[in-house]
Amino acid sequence: MVLLLAAFGIVLLGAFAQAVSGFGYALVTVPLLAAAIDPRSAVLVSALTGIGLTLVAAVRERAYAQWRVAAALTGTALLGLPVGLLVLAHAPERMLSAVIAVVVLGCVALVWFNARIRTGRLGLGMVGVLVGVLTAATGTNGPPLVAAFHSLGYDPRTFRATLAATFSGTGLMGLAGFAATGQVHLDVVRTALIALPAVPLGWWLGNLLFHRIDPVVFRRIVLVGLLGSAGAALVSLAG
C-alpha cells in the first residue's frame, strides 16, 4: 500500500511538472518510480499513466501544434523503438537503473543549457531515432525534442502543443511495443490504475499556474530536483 501511495504521489508530481513546463512527466516519474518499485516497471507505469495526458493535451492544443514536424519525428522514432525494447527486456535491473539515471542527467544538461541542435531533415531524423530508443528503454524521450523545438524558435504555446502531439505518437508506439514483447503484466497494470487519477489532478493544478508562474524559474526547480534524484540513484547503485 505504501508503494502504491508513493506511485500516486510521483505521478501527481510528474503531471504537475508537465502541465507547467510542457515536459518533465517521464523525467520526474521514471527515476522516482524506479527507486520506489523497480526500473522496468517504472518505465511501463509511466508510459501507461502518461499516454492519456499527452493525448488530451494534443487534442486540446491541436490548433497550435506543428503537426508535420510531430508526424516526421514520430515516423523516424519507429526506427529506434526496437533497440529500446531490447534494452528494456534484456538489461539487468541494476544496469537499467544506471542507464535511466545517466540518461536523466544527460537530459537535464540538455535542457539546463538550452541546447540547440541542427533542425534540417537529417537533424530532425536523428532526433526522431533517438526519441524512439529512449521511449522504449527509459521512457525519458522529452529533452531531445525540447532541444529541437528550442532551435526551431517555437513560442511557449506552440512548444507545448507540438511536444504533446509528438509524445502522443511515440507513446502509442511504445505501448504497442511493450504489449507485443510481453512486458505488460498484472502488477504493472494495477499500479498504473491506482496512480491514474493523479494525472488529471496534477494537470489541473499545473494548468492553473501555467500563466502565473515564470516558466524559466519553474524549469530550474524541476531540473535541480531531477539532478538530485538521478544523483542519488547513481550513489545508491555505486554503494
Side-chain angles (χ1 to χ4, degrees):
M1 181 59 68
V2 173
L3 292 178
L4 294 175
L5 289 175
F8 184 94
I10 291 167
V11 168
L12 177 69
L13 182 61
F16 179 85
Q18 179 84 12
V20 174
S21 64
F23 77 100
Y25 183 79
L27 279 174
V28 171
T29 57
V30 172
L32 293 179
L33 286 170
I37 42 179
D38 66 83
R40 192 165 285 108
S41 296
V43 174
L44 296 169
V45 170
S46 179
L48 287 167
T49 54
I51 188 61
L53 176 67
T54 55
L55 286 171
V56 171
V59 171
R60 287 183 175 177
E61 305 285 328
R62 62 188 181 278
Y64 302 94
Q66 296 292 320
W67 286 99
R68 292 181 64 181
V69 172
L73 287 164
T74 301
T76 52
L78 187 59
L79 300 176
L81 193 69
V83 177
L85 289 171
L86 285 173
V87 172
L88 183 69
H90 299 293
E93 285 195 1
R94 284 180 62 85
M95 181 183 294
L96 187 57
S97 293
V99 169
I100 289 171
V102 170
V103 168
V104 168
L105 289 174
C107 291
V108 168
L110 277 177
V111 178
W112 188 284
F113 294 107
N114 287 321
R116 301 292 193 271
I117 59 172
R118 295 176 64 89
T119 52
R121 288 186 178 181
L122 179 60
L124 286 178
M126 293 176 65
V127 168
V129 174
L130 177 60
V131 166
V133 175
L134 295 178
T135 295
T138 67
T140 53
N141 59 359
L145 296 174
V146 170
F149 295 165
H150 276 316
S151 300
L152 290 168
Y154 290 163
D155 63 84
R157 198 72 183 266
T158 302
F159 179 89
R160 188 170 79 158
T162 310
L163 273 178
T166 310
F167 286 155
S168 296
T170 57
L172 289 172
M173 288 194 315
L175 288 177
F178 298 146
T181 54
Q183 298 290 327
V184 182
H185 51 80
L186 183 59
D187 287 342
V188 166
V189 173
R190 181 183 62 177
T191 303
L193 287 174
I194 290 175
L196 191 59
V199 174
L201 177 59
W203 180 266
W204 177 72
L205 291 171
N207 211 38
L208 286 178
L209 296 179
F210 180 60
H211 298 292
R212 304 178 185 178
I213 190 171
D214 185 337
V216 175
V217 172
F218 181 78
R219 185 178 66 182
R220 298 290 184 183
I221 294 171
V222 171
L223 293 177
V224 168
L226 290 171
L227 281 174
S229 66
L234 289 175
V235 169
S236 66
L237 288 171

